[in-house]
Amino acid sequence: MERTINSKMVLVTGGTGYIGSHTAVELINAGYEVVIVDNLSNSDITSLDGVERITGHRPTFVEADCCDRDAMRRLFESYNFDSVIHFAAFKAVGESVAEPMKYYRNNMLSILTILEFMCEYGRHNILFSSSATVYGDADKLPVTELTPRKPATSPYGNTKQMAEDILRDTVAANSSLRGIALRYFNPIGAHPSAHIGELPRGVPNNLVPYITQTAAGIRECLSIFGDDYPTPDGSCLRDYIDVVDLARAHVVAIERMTSGRCKCPYEVFNVGTGNPVSVMELVRGFEQANGIKLNYKIAPRRAGDVAAVWADTTLANEELGWHAERELSDTLRSAWLWERTIRGLK
């Protein structure tokens, strides 16, 4: 018997991860039923405990790899979700430079498998977790959704470009499929409750977890990669967005697709604050917000990094009705509260 599709059920791939768990919270709070699939390769199932403490509801969880066709077929046969938010991917720029095949195999095969089964099982809406890395080293800032994509500066960035193209072409070939790619800038912070946050395994690849681990004494010294970029203070400029603000953007994007308000079958939106902040400014902002002095040093530039990128968010503001709301100082306080909580620090 054909399964009735539930427009209020959402499959979240990679949903035990940092952005996925925060998005699960916002989806549940908005009245959605959430099914999470994750292979736990770079996340921890304890994030579901945090989601449950915040929302009072524990998402359905399936441990599986999105590249596993047999597992994905069982998933699509078992649950009647209409929408998919696809987070599952490897995401470290530096690691992708060192291990490109690992990134191409995982990140490409996962989205291909998900899209194949969406088409086969008649599921209609997919929201893709893209990245500002698709813009490469842009000629003009801030970047808009119409800014030409330049050659990626890392295999990770290339997988995001390629996945966007795969999604665009698949949507064009399937009249019942709708897709939105959200191009994230730099997600940071944690849920204000400190029940969920960024929990990297091993040495952090992202700046703020390294900052908080340095503040907690887990890391001896923070390395700032480069002080000779063509920016006001020589360090890279980025657009840092609170992870809760980012999670809310996923909810409004899903609502746009399920309500039929998309202006075309495939859409792209920048999700950032529109405010460039340098690495040095972020470090000093953390020190000021939390009353802590960090031990840091200047290190050589890191492969794959561009000097500056930040968003023009006009399209997301006007079409999605979404705006970044949280102040950077509050975000940096939430990151430190999360670090203290998981370390048992006062």
Side-chain angles (χ1 to χ4, degrees):
M1 184 170 62
E2 187 175 346
R3 181 180 293 274
T4 301
I5 300 300
N6 182 356
S7 64
K8 294 295 285 185
M9 180 183 286
V10 180
L11 174 68
V12 181
T13 75
T16 60
Y18 175 45
I19 303 172
S21 59
H22 285 82
T23 300
V25 165
E26 298 305 314
L27 286 167
I28 292 168
N29 287 341
Y32 287 88
E33 185 177 351
V34 174
V35 178
I36 288 175
V37 60
D38 203 306
N39 66 3
L40 303 177
S41 65
N42 194 34
S43 60
D44 197 299
I45 198 169
T46 57
S47 65
L48 299 182
D49 299 332
V51 172
E52 185 174 16
R53 283 194 291 270
I54 295 167
T55 66
H57 179 81
R58 192 176 186 85
T60 300
F61 175 69
V62 177
E63 184 174 353
D65 191 319
C66 290
C67 298
D68 184 334
R69 287 177 50 80
D70 291 338
M72 290 305 98
R73 184 174 293 281
R74 289 192 295 271
L75 183 70
F76 274 76
E77 289 179 347
S78 299
Y79 298 97
N80 60 340
F81 51 84
D82 189 38
S83 301
V84 177
I85 302 179
H86 185 53
F87 292 110
F90 294 143
K91 62 176 185 176
V93 170
E95 183 185 56
S96 79
V97 174
E99 301 182 68
M101 289 300 296
K102 173 182 177 180
Y103 274 69
Y104 287 121
R105 181 179 296 108
N106 182 76
N107 293 7
M108 295 297 91
L109 186 54
S110 61
I111 191 169
L112 286 167
T113 304
I114 290 295
L115 283 170
E116 180 180 351
F117 284 118
M118 287 189 71
C119 294
E120 180 177 341
Y121 284 85
R123 310 304 167 84
H124 300 300
N125 307 295
I126 179 167
L127 178 55
F128 175 60
S129 167
S130 191
S131 168
T133 58
V134 302
Y135 295 114
D137 193 0
D139 293 326
K140 184 179 179 181
L141 295 168
V143 292
T144 75
E145 290 80 358
L146 297 178
T147 296
R149 297 185 325 182
K150 297 186 71 175
T153 58
S154 70
Y156 163 74
N158 203 25
T159 66
K160 291 299 184 182
Q161 290 185 348
M162 294 166 67
E164 283 192 1
D165 293 344
I166 290 167
L167 178 56
R168 179 201 62 213
D169 294 346
T170 305
V171 167
N174 293 269
S175 60
S176 64
L177 193 63
R178 292 175 291 272
I180 290 179
L182 296 184
R183 291 174 177 167
Y184 310 160
F185 282 70
N186 290 72
I188 61 171
H191 195 273
S193 67
H195 289 317
I196 54 175
E198 191 166 5
L199 190 61
R201 292 188 173 181
V203 179
N205 290 300
N206 294 333
L207 175 60
V208 170
Y210 212 110
I211 287 175
T212 59
Q213 289 191 15
T214 302
I218 308 301
R219 307 292 163 192
E220 181 181 352
C221 184
L222 168 70
S223 293
I224 295 174
F225 297 106
D227 64 349
D228 57 350
Y229 285 98
T231 61
D233 64 17
S235 64
C236 292
L237 287 173
R238 294 291 184 266
D239 187 333
Y240 296 100
I241 180 170
D242 188 283
V243 66
V244 176
D245 280 338
L246 176 59
R248 289 191 301 102
H250 294 78
V251 178
V252 296
I254 286 290
E255 291 174 347
R256 181 178 178 86
M257 287 191 288
T258 57
S259 65
R261 291 187 286 111
C262 295
K263 290 188 174 179
C264 58
Y266 173 68
E267 297 180 311
V268 175
F269 296 98
N270 286 338
V271 185
T273 66
N275 299 314
V277 175
S278 76
V279 172
M280 283 303 309
E281 286 174 325
L282 192 77
V283 169
R284 291 172 183 142
F286 180 86
E287 291 178 327
Q288 183 175 1
N290 294 294
I292 294 172
K293 186 65 177 175
L294 290 168
N295 183 31
Y296 64 85
K297 66 180 180 181
I298 304 301
R301 293 187 183 191
R302 186 172 57 177
D305 282 342
V306 299
V309 64
W310 69 92
D312 182 323
T313 61
T314 303
L315 192 65
N317 300 157
E318 294 179 352
E319 290 295 326
L320 296 178
W322 171 90
H323 295 78
E325 296 178 355
R326 288 179 58 80
E327 296 291 335
L328 181 59
S329 58
D330 292 334
T331 301
L332 294 172
R333 279 189 284 268
S334 75
W336 180 226
L337 176 60
W338 164 248
E339 187 70 44
R340 298 201 324 267
T341 299
I342 61 176
R343 305 292 177 187
L345 303 175
K346 292 184 179 181

